[in-house]
Amino acid sequence: MAKSWAALGVDLHLHLRLDPTGIGTGTGTGVRRGLTDAIREAVRGGRLTPGTRLPSSRSLAADLGIARNTVADAYADLVAEGWLTARQGSGTSVAERPVPRPSAGPTRHPRSPFPPVHDLIPGSPDLSFFPRAAWLKASRRALTNAPNDALGYSDPRGRVELRTALAGYLARARGVHTDPDRIVICSGFVHGLMLLGGVLHARGLTSLALESYGLDAHWRLLERAGLRTVPLGLDELGTRTEELTGGEADLAGVRTVLLTPAHQFPIGKSLHPDRRAAVVDWARRGDGLILEDDYDGEFRYDRQAVGALQGLDPDRVVYLGTASKSLAPGLRLGWLVLPPSLVGEVVAAKGRIDWSCGVFDQLTLAEFIDSGAYDRQVRAARLRYRRRRDALVAALAARAPQVQATGIAAGLHAVLQLPPGTEESVVREAVRRRLAVHGLDLYRHPDSTAERTDALVVGYGTPPDHGWAGALEELCATVAPAGS
Amino acid sequence: MAKSWAALGVDLHLHLRLDPTGIGTGTGTGVRRGLTDAIREAVRGGRLTPGTRLPSSRSLAADLGIARNTVADAYADLVAEGWLTARQGSGTSVAERPVPRPSAGPTRHPRSPFPPVHDLIPGSPDLSFFPRAAWLKASRRALTNAPNDALGYSDPRGRVELRTALAGYLARARGVHTDPDRIVICSGFVHGLMLLGGVLHARGLTSLALESYGLDAHWRLLERAGLRTVPLGLDELGTRTEELTGGEADLAGVRTVLLTPAHQFPIGKSLHPDRRAAVVDWARRGDGLILEDDYDGEFRYDRQAVGALQGLDPDRVVYLGTASKSLAPGLRLGWLVLPPSLVGEVVAAKGRIDWSCGVFDQLTLAEFIDSGAYDRQVRAARLRYRRRRDALVAALAARAPQVQATGIAAGLHAVLQLPPGTEESVVREAVRRRLAVHGLDLYRHPDSTAERTDALVVGYGTPPDHGWAGALEELCATVAPAGS
């Protein structure tokens, strides 16, 4: 015991020298905290074993050259925390308890020994294009002007400033018909879809129709919410929404459909006008609901943006928008525009008060929209991505004329149609060239009966400007016929 | 038809004059958008009825004095959106569809005709004390220094900068034993508890023990996750954790307990040292788990803070912390410190990538901690709240000596013990005085068998400085015996 105590004594002196101030509130608090920490660590580390009697506060204080009360207080702290026990008449000892097993080492994510150099995975905008200076300016104004109660727990729909700004913007830019009371801010599209999945399941729904191609993260979260996902067919006009009324066995009783009408992800077509009309009529006739994922509706190049489907019937369409493509996914900001009949249930699912969304970014985005900075950013981004798309199409025409880029009228990605049977080998070649790119098959719903086509999905919005030329070069080399 | 068209023509001129620029990308886009919007609104509003033939693009262009292509493009947009139909040889008409029913009016939350003037509801810090200037400074540094990839989709545990800063801070300030790999950032305490509830339910748990008094929002979210909540007893030493081992029928098989060890909410006691030790031993013996809600652990006044229970056994205790009391609830930032065995499941529940938490506030809080600003803020807040507590105790002693304030060694609230049978009438008197304050009974778990006591829970941290004196005055007047 004498030995372990001597070792502790050395530690204590060292600790007190190294950390003479601490962060406490009163005189001597730093010394007391240093002493408390050192004894706690000695017990935790096993240097002071259970049952070990500690010296009296008087003798330890003399040994360390500190006030006796400081030692007594440190002992009292450690008794309160359960490390030490104090028994009337028998002094202070280390509590009788097994030393906790050491934790397993930190989790490490294995990394490929050859990480990709070029990233053309779709789904992310060019992050280097985020308008940091303008965002900071807006955040300064937003935080300076925010009332105190904005910093508290608030309306589960999100801040009214942002809902008001969005109602105006979405009407103007996307033809969405709404008012701020029917908008619910969420932590990005996925959070919104999660809320809707829970609400629909609670309403008794057991299945939901969607497109043949999409993101497995979305299918999985809907399945986790208790909804079977049933893919619609696909033809040269896009998603076959008429199957909803066509009497297919799998679709019997399905009353909700998730669509990307402006720019099917990842195929890239807009939903045909006749089908837009027909799907809204289907929803009206059968008390159905359309979830409109408008993930990149602002980025249309060859013609005016196709307005939101929601505008056709705000009572039958839930509009889901996001700042992830127009600004950055890291913001985790999205919005639901809801039919009046759904507002109460979605708000209840989000929580009686807003447990999800931080206010600062909400207020900043409201300021960003109101000041016109959001429009400017979208316009500049549209020009930037359009140039990349044009460069992609031109480079393919010159270097790999057998590869046709489709779905390119809008968005931040293109689909490169490959010769039949070559998708897998082209993806392998991309990996060899350290080019991250996805084959189309990765986006195919497991139950889809749509004809398979060989293709690459190329996120030309993803790289920073300085990496774009190199990525395009590697892409062309990957898809060009050998020897060309 | 001629009449409706004339009405439309007037609208169009007006619209084009009012909005000559729009936000489009090319020459003439503003005019085209204005025209598109005006026709869409005319259809939506019923002024242009289904089947109505529109004038040819040539004649409308001449009528409006704009280019024919602009009209043709606007028609094409509206056909794509489903508002109009174009048939070979028969021109363009309004699509055959019922006009959507008008939406119900906006949801309005009813407000009491006499809203409270003074707010002493516990659970919120003084929002006027949020360090706006220091936060903005930190956010500028954080955003300026952030790598581009921080703005993308990221690690489901949250930003490594914040997890690293927290690991250091929590070790130093709360005796928490961890490394950044075992911390998961979440959108405040509620989000963390939701994640844990889901994980525990997926592990097969069906019930969870907790304290007799607490927040119904927590009980309800656990019940929604499929966990029955079973309250532990309460005595003069605090929560009777020994009941976990005592063979009570309701607690048979319960292997998880949620506690507020540093400062029971709302009663205000610390968990007794013997019980701290015993509950950890219980968890070790029976493969149990303790969820430690450390909601206000930093605010202790009369002695050093009681270190986190987590330090006693990081493999058996999940530590839940939050910025809601130390900074502001509006940040929606909290953190879980997890045993290694739980990290994988919690990360999976949060999502393969971080769908929940915005990066800017995370990076700002990391910078705020690293720069020492967080410690300074906590120190200043501790002093401020301690002064309020002292003023509360002094005022009660002078004005209402029959009312004893308990649970006041820490935190941002106190419990005022009232004469038996008076809680309801005192709360009514508070409402009459437009003072928002809660009776203790509101926090009592419906299944609790603990003896009822009459008391008020007073959140003295809630009002801004300028409102504190008035709130205290009304509180004293409310609880003082009539005529005194």
Side-chain angles (χ1 to χ4, degrees):
Chain A
M1 192 194 106
K3 196 169 160 226
S4 78
W5 182 249
L8 175 63
V10 172
D11 279 337
L12 292 180
H13 278 292
L14 193 67
H15 204 288
L16 296 174
R17 262 206 311 282
L18 287 175
D19 181 17
T21 58
I23 61 154
T25 50
T27 316
T29 309
V31 174
R32 170 172 153 190
R33 180 179 291 270
L35 182 61
T36 311
D37 288 348
I39 298 176
R40 193 194 291 113
E41 281 311 308
V43 176
R44 178 144 52 202
R47 275 170 295 135
L48 281 175
T49 49
T52 304
R53 276 271 288 283
L54 271 75
S56 70
S57 53
R58 182 192 302 272
S59 71
L60 182 57
D63 183 31
L64 296 172
I66 60 181
R68 185 183 165 185
N69 274 352
T70 303
V71 177
D73 287 348
Y75 281 6
D77 292 343
L78 292 162
V79 168
E81 291 178 17
W83 298 101
L84 305 181
T85 52
R87 298 271 169 254
Q88 206 76 35
S90 64
T92 307
S93 337
V94 177
E96 289 288 352
R97 65 179 52 260
V99 175
R101 279 164 296 156
S103 303
T107 320
R108 295 274 175 232
H109 293 286
R111 281 185 158 274
S112 149
F114 301 110
V117 173
H118 299 290
D119 186 358
L120 292 176
I121 304 290
S124 175
D126 175 355
L127 300 171
S128 74
F129 196 53
F130 183 82
R132 297 190 188 209
W135 187 261
L136 275 169
K137 194 173 151 198
S139 76
R140 170 172 300 275
R141 291 177 60 154
L143 188 47
T144 305
N145 296 332
N148 282 328
D149 69 7
L151 309 183
Y153 294 102
S154 59
D155 190 320
R157 290 172 298 183
R159 287 302 300 176
V160 66
E161 294 89 339
L162 178 55
R163 291 184 284 115
T164 305
L166 280 171
Y169 173 78
L170 293 173
R172 184 157 58 74
R174 305 293 301 122
V176 169
H177 196 69
T178 189
D179 63 65
D181 289 306
R182 298 200 286 113
I183 296 180
V184 172
I185 306 300
C186 46
S187 298
F189 172 84
V190 162
H191 182 216
L193 193 59
M194 239 180 245
L195 294 172
L196 290 168
V199 164
L200 294 172
H201 185 251
R203 279 187 170 195
L205 257 68
T206 55
S207 55
L208 175 143
L210 36 63
E211 297 161 328
S212 278
Y213 287 83
L215 282 173
D216 66 346
H218 300 174
W219 308 327
R220 280 187 289 112
L221 88 83
L222 290 167
E223 304 265 357
R224 270 204 306 275
L227 298 170
R228 194 169 59 97
T229 59
V230 185
L232 296 168
L234 182 73
D235 61 22
E236 64 287 351
L237 295 181
T239 297
R240 290 177 45 78
T241 46
E242 52 266 53
E243 291 180 3
L244 289 165
T245 52
E248 303 235 358
D250 270 359
L251 290 164
V254 168
R255 290 189 301 130
T256 305
V257 60
L258 171 63
L259 295 170
T260 49
H263 189 229
Q264 203 284 327
F265 186 85
I267 301 289
K269 284 189 201 295
S270 315
L271 189 62
H272 190 277
D274 291 345
R275 290 179 176 172
R276 287 170 69 96
V279 74
V280 168
D281 284 342
W282 163 81
R284 284 186 189 154
R285 278 197 313 273
D287 195 25
L289 197 65
I290 302 163
L291 312 183
E292 176 177 28
D293 173 6
D294 195 41
Y295 66 106
D296 69 358
E298 279 131 336
F299 297 102
R300 189 151 197 104
Y301 307 120
D302 298 331
R303 30 163 303 164
Q304 190 96 354
V306 177
L309 191 67
Q310 192 266 3
L312 285 183
D313 194 340
D315 288 341
R316 293 286 155 206
V317 183
V318 176
Y319 176 91
L320 297 105
T322 172
S324 294
K325 306 299 177 278
S326 54
L327 288 168
L331 280 174
R332 306 311 312 131
L333 276 178
W335 37 90
L336 301 175
V337 179
L338 296 164
S341 60
L342 267 174
V343 173
E345 287 156 89
V346 170
V347 162
K350 198 180 171 201
R352 237 184 350 174
I353 50 184
D354 191 345
W355 302 118
S356 313
C357 303
V359 293
F360 292 164
D361 287 336
Q362 290 185 61
L363 295 172
T364 302
L365 181 56
E367 170 67 32
F368 205 72
I369 294 172
D370 288 341
S371 69
Y374 190 76
D375 284 352
R376 282 193 294 276
Q377 174 69 13
V378 167
R379 262 201 310 272
R382 200 187 287 136
L383 192 62
R384 184 186 187 93
Y385 295 130
R386 181 189 183 141
R387 283 194 188 125
R388 287 198 189 174
R389 182 204 63 166
D390 293 346
L392 170 67
V393 170
L396 286 173
R399 305 263 315 266
Q402 87 290 2
V403 174
Q404 199 205 343
T406 60
I408 55 173
L412 314 180
H413 71 275
V415 175
L416 271 48
Q417 304 291 340
L418 301 172
T422 62
E423 179 176 313
E424 214 182 306
S425 62
V426 168
V427 171
R428 268 202 309 273
E429 174 65 11
V431 170
R432 204 186 64 76
R433 292 179 176 274
R434 302 177 67 176
L435 172 70
V437 68
H438 281 166
L440 180 60
D441 202 55
L442 199 66
Y443 296 90
R444 185 187 165 88
H445 192 285
D447 300 337
S448 171
T449 56
E451 205 181 335
R452 268 173 216 277
T453 52
D454 288 74
L456 286 188
V457 184
V458 172
Y460 56 79
T462 307
D465 258 5
H466 65 81
W468 166 237
L472 182 55
E473 169 61 33
E474 286 302 326
L475 178 68
C476 287
T478 299
V479 298
S484 72
Chain B
M1 191 191 107
K3 198 173 157 222
S4 78
W5 181 248
L8 175 63
V10 171
D11 278 337
L12 291 178
H13 278 292
L14 192 67
H15 204 290
L16 296 173
R17 262 206 312 283
L18 286 175
D19 181 17
T21 58
I23 61 156
T25 49
T27 315
T29 309
V31 173
R32 170 172 153 187
R33 180 180 292 270
L35 182 60
T36 311
D37 289 348
I39 298 175
R40 194 194 290 113
E41 281 311 308
V43 176
R44 178 145 50 202
R47 274 171 294 135
L48 282 175
T49 50
T52 305
R53 276 270 290 283
L54 271 73
S56 71
S57 52
R58 184 191 304 270
S59 71
L60 182 58
D63 183 32
L64 295 172
I66 61 181
R68 182 180 169 188
N69 273 352
T70 304
V71 179
D73 287 348
Y75 281 8
D77 292 344
L78 291 162
V79 168
E81 292 177 16
W83 297 102
L84 305 181
T85 51
R87 298 271 170 256
Q88 206 76 36
S90 66
T92 306
S93 338
V94 177
E96 288 288 351
R97 65 179 50 262
V99 175
R101 280 163 295 157
S103 304
T107 320
R108 296 273 175 233
H109 293 287
R111 280 183 161 275
S112 149
F114 301 110
V117 173
H118 299 290
D119 185 357
L120 292 175
I121 305 289
S124 175
D126 175 356
L127 300 171
S128 75
F129 196 54
F130 182 83
R132 297 190 189 208
W135 187 262
L136 275 169
K137 193 173 152 198
S139 76
R140 171 172 298 275
R141 291 176 61 155
L143 187 49
T144 305
N145 296 331
N148 281 328
D149 68 8
L151 308 185
Y153 294 102
S154 59
D155 191 321
R157 290 172 299 183
R159 287 303 301 176
V160 66
E161 294 89 339
L162 178 56
R163 291 185 283 115
T164 305
L166 280 171
Y169 173 77
L170 293 173
R172 184 157 57 75
R174 305 293 301 124
V176 169
H177 196 69
T178 190
D179 62 65
D181 289 307
R182 296 200 288 112
I183 296 180
V184 173
I185 306 301
C186 46
S187 299
F189 173 85
V190 163
H191 182 216
L193 192 59
M194 238 180 246
L195 294 172
L196 290 168
V199 164
L200 294 172
H201 184 252
R203 278 186 170 194
L205 257 68
T206 55
S207 55
L208 175 143
L210 38 62
E211 296 161 328
S212 277
Y213 287 83
L215 283 173
D216 67 343
H218 300 173
W219 309 328
R220 280 187 288 112
L221 88 83
L222 290 167
E223 303 265 358
R224 269 204 305 275
L227 299 170
R228 193 169 59 97
T229 59
V230 185
L232 297 168
L234 182 73
D235 62 20
E236 63 288 350
L237 295 181
T239 297
R240 290 178 46 80
T241 47
E242 52 268 51
E243 289 179 4
L244 290 165
T245 52
E248 302 235 359
D250 270 359
L251 291 162
V254 169
R255 291 189 299 132
T256 305
V257 60
L258 170 63
L259 296 170
T260 49
H263 188 229
Q264 204 285 326
F265 186 85
I267 301 289
K269 284 188 201 291
S270 315
L271 189 63
H272 190 276
D274 292 346
R275 290 178 176 173
R276 287 170 70 96
V279 73
V280 169
D281 285 343
W282 162 82
R284 283 184 189 155
R285 278 197 313 272
D287 194 24
L289 197 65
I290 302 163
L291 312 183
E292 176 178 27
D293 173 5
D294 195 39
Y295 67 105
D296 69 357
E298 279 132 334
F299 297 101
R300 189 152 196 100
Y301 308 120
D302 298 331
R303 30 164 305 164
Q304 190 96 354
V306 177
L309 191 67
Q310 191 267 3
L312 285 182
D313 194 339
D315 289 341
R316 292 284 155 207
V317 182
V318 176
Y319 175 92
L320 298 105
T322 173
S324 294
K325 306 297 177 281
S326 53
L327 288 169
L331 281 173
R332 306 311 312 132
L333 277 177
W335 37 89
L336 301 174
V337 179
L338 295 163
S341 60
L342 267 175
V343 174
E345 286 156 88
V346 170
V347 163
K350 198 179 171 201
R352 240 186 347 176
I353 51 183
D354 190 346
W355 302 117
S356 313
C357 303
V359 294
F360 291 163
D361 288 336
Q362 291 186 58
L363 294 172
T364 302
L365 181 55
E367 170 67 32
F368 205 71
I369 294 172
D370 289 341
S371 69
Y374 190 76
D375 284 351
R376 282 192 295 278
Q377 174 71 11
V378 167
R379 261 202 311 273
R382 201 187 286 135
L383 191 62
R384 182 186 188 91
Y385 295 129
R386 182 190 181 140
R387 283 196 188 122
R388 288 196 187 176
R389 182 204 62 165
D390 293 346
L392 170 67
V393 171
L396 287 173
R399 308 261 318 264
Q402 87 289 5
V403 174
Q404 199 205 341
T406 60
I408 56 173
L412 313 181
H413 71 276
V415 175
L416 270 47
Q417 304 290 342
L418 301 173
T422 62
E423 180 176 315
E424 216 182 306
S425 62
V426 168
V427 170
R428 267 201 310 271
E429 174 64 11
V431 171
R432 205 186 61 78
R433 291 180 176 274
R434 301 177 69 175
L435 171 71
V437 66
H438 283 167
L440 180 60
D441 203 55
L442 199 66
Y443 297 90
R444 184 188 166 87
H445 192 285
D447 300 339
S448 171
T449 57
E451 205 180 333
R452 268 172 217 277
T453 53
D454 287 75
L456 285 188
V457 184
V458 172
Y460 56 79
T462 306
D465 257 5
H466 65 80
W468 166 236
L472 182 55
E473 169 61 33
E474 285 302 327
L475 178 68
C476 287
T478 300
V479 299
S484 70

